[in-house]
Amino acid sequence: MRDAQPADQTYTIGELASTSGATERALRHYEDLGLLSPTRGENGYRRYGEKDVERLQQVLLFRACGMGLSEIRGLLESPGYNAEEALEQHLKTLRARQRELEALVETVEKTVETMKGRQTMTNEERFRGLKEQAIETNENTYGAEARERYGDDAVDAANERVRAMSEQDWDEMHELEQGIIRQLKGAMATGDPAGDAARKLVEMHRRWICGYWGKGRYSAQAHLALGEMYLADERFRDYYDSRAGAGATEFLVAALRAQLADGQPGAE
């Protein structure tokens, strides 16, 4: 194992670029964004210490996990930032991505072998890779917030329900998802979140989330809380607004509030 670097060792920008694989231009950009804060020698040249190296490694790891630079900066500068906890969370993301890629590779390999007549595929095998990809996409986009709000057990259970879906279940859930968007557009056109069209929308949305949550996990309160989470995060807003039009998320949540105020529809 390589000996640890001296605590007082510093690097020039060229040396750090060579060591890390980041370009000098990228290092300057990170400094402009406040992600790195090298000192300056008497000659005015940048010098990077071990803390800079550690911080750069974290930046590059988070970038590899798909985070944007502004998001990384907010994370690193947050008062409660804990590098170990943050990296453990992103390790889960990487492992999930690894499972997705392994499933996709296996699916493609079997598909090619089937096309060559060397083997046959079951319908479960045909859709395994696609389901893993859907799980990974959802984890990357919404996983952290969902796990914080509902807990790891609930999210893991939802992922397992997706893995266990038959081809018919998968198709029905996809069609219901598309139907919700169509119903949302129609309900928005009425302008009445308490009307019949909105009532049907809420019922369709309930069936959709129950398909992922499973029996015994639904409640009107949890449904409402999910809607409030939609409003609080631009990524959730974008899902509906980009498909049904500007204001779609606000209308959906208004419909949830109007329809679920008395605790209905019933639990499943």
Side-chain angles (χ1 to χ4, degrees):
M1 185 173 67
R2 190 176 66 178
D3 293 338
Q5 297 293 336
D8 58 351
Q9 180 171 349
T10 62
Y11 302 82
T12 66
I13 189 170
E15 290 170 340
L16 184 56
S18 177
T19 299
S20 67
T23 65
E24 292 185 22
R25 180 180 180 182
L27 295 177
R28 293 189 187 96
H29 184 50
Y30 295 161
E31 182 180 351
D32 290 341
L33 294 176
L35 291 168
L36 295 176
S37 301
T39 60
R40 298 275 180 165
E42 293 182 359
N43 57 9
Y45 292 161
R46 296 172 176 83
R47 301 297 301 186
Y48 298 86
E50 284 302 309
K51 288 186 178 180
D52 296 307
V53 175
E54 292 177 5
R55 189 171 174 96
L56 175 60
Q57 184 203 23
Q58 293 173 31
V59 170
L60 296 178
L61 285 173
F62 291 140
R63 286 287 284 166
C65 292
M67 293 179 64
L69 291 176
S70 60
E71 185 180 1
I72 294 172
R73 179 181 177 183
L75 175 64
L76 295 177
E77 294 181 354
S78 62
Y81 173 68
N82 182 297
E84 181 178 344
E85 291 179 358
L87 290 173
E88 284 181 347
Q89 180 59 47
H90 284 281
L91 180 59
K92 292 180 181 179
T93 299
L94 290 173
R95 284 174 173 161
R97 187 181 301 171
Q98 181 182 34
R99 290 194 297 270
E100 175 205 349
L101 289 173
E102 289 173 349
L104 286 173
V105 168
E106 181 182 354
T107 299
V108 172
E109 287 177 341
K110 288 185 177 180
T111 300
V112 171
E113 291 300 298
T114 299
M115 289 177 173
K116 291 180 177 179
R118 296 175 181 171
Q119 71 174 62
T120 58
M121 292 181 71
T122 65
N123 286 337
E124 179 181 353
E125 290 173 330
R126 290 181 188 276
F127 287 92
R128 177 171 174 259
L130 296 176
K131 289 189 285 188
E132 288 295 334
Q133 186 177 37
I135 290 170
E136 172 63 11
T137 298
N138 190 66
E139 281 280 4
N140 285 341
T141 308
Y142 312 114
E145 290 78 5
R147 289 180 180 278
E148 182 178 355
R149 183 176 289 265
Y150 300 109
D152 288 338
D153 290 344
V155 176
D156 290 342
N159 289 342
E160 288 307 313
R161 285 183 62 80
V162 173
R163 292 189 177 99
M165 284 182 183
S166 66
E167 180 182 358
Q168 181 179 350
D169 293 335
W170 179 265
D171 289 342
E172 288 178 353
M173 288 295 288
H174 180 71
E175 178 55 35
L176 179 56
E177 182 178 1
Q178 299 303 310
I180 289 171
I181 299 301
R182 293 192 294 270
Q183 185 66 26
L184 177 53
K185 290 180 180 178
M188 285 177 65
T190 70
D192 183 6
D196 291 340
R199 185 174 299 109
K200 181 178 180 181
L201 168 66
V202 171
E203 170 57 21
M204 292 173 68
H205 196 262
R206 181 193 68 83
R207 288 193 285 116
W208 183 58
I209 62 176
C210 283
Y212 292 104
W213 288 1
K215 293 184 180 297
R217 292 186 179 274
Y218 177 86
S219 70
Q221 292 76 17
H223 197 170
L224 277 170
L226 179 65
E228 299 298 338
M229 186 165 64
Y230 289 167
L231 286 179
D233 194 307
E234 287 300 322
R235 291 169 298 173
F236 291 90
R237 279 178 175 267
D238 182 66
Y239 175 82
Y240 290 103
D241 285 17
S242 64
R243 291 164 174 78
T249 308
E250 291 185 356
F251 183 90
L252 172 60
V253 175
L256 292 175
R257 291 168 177 164
Q259 306 295 336
L260 301 178
D262 58 356
Q264 296 297 321
E268 180 171 301

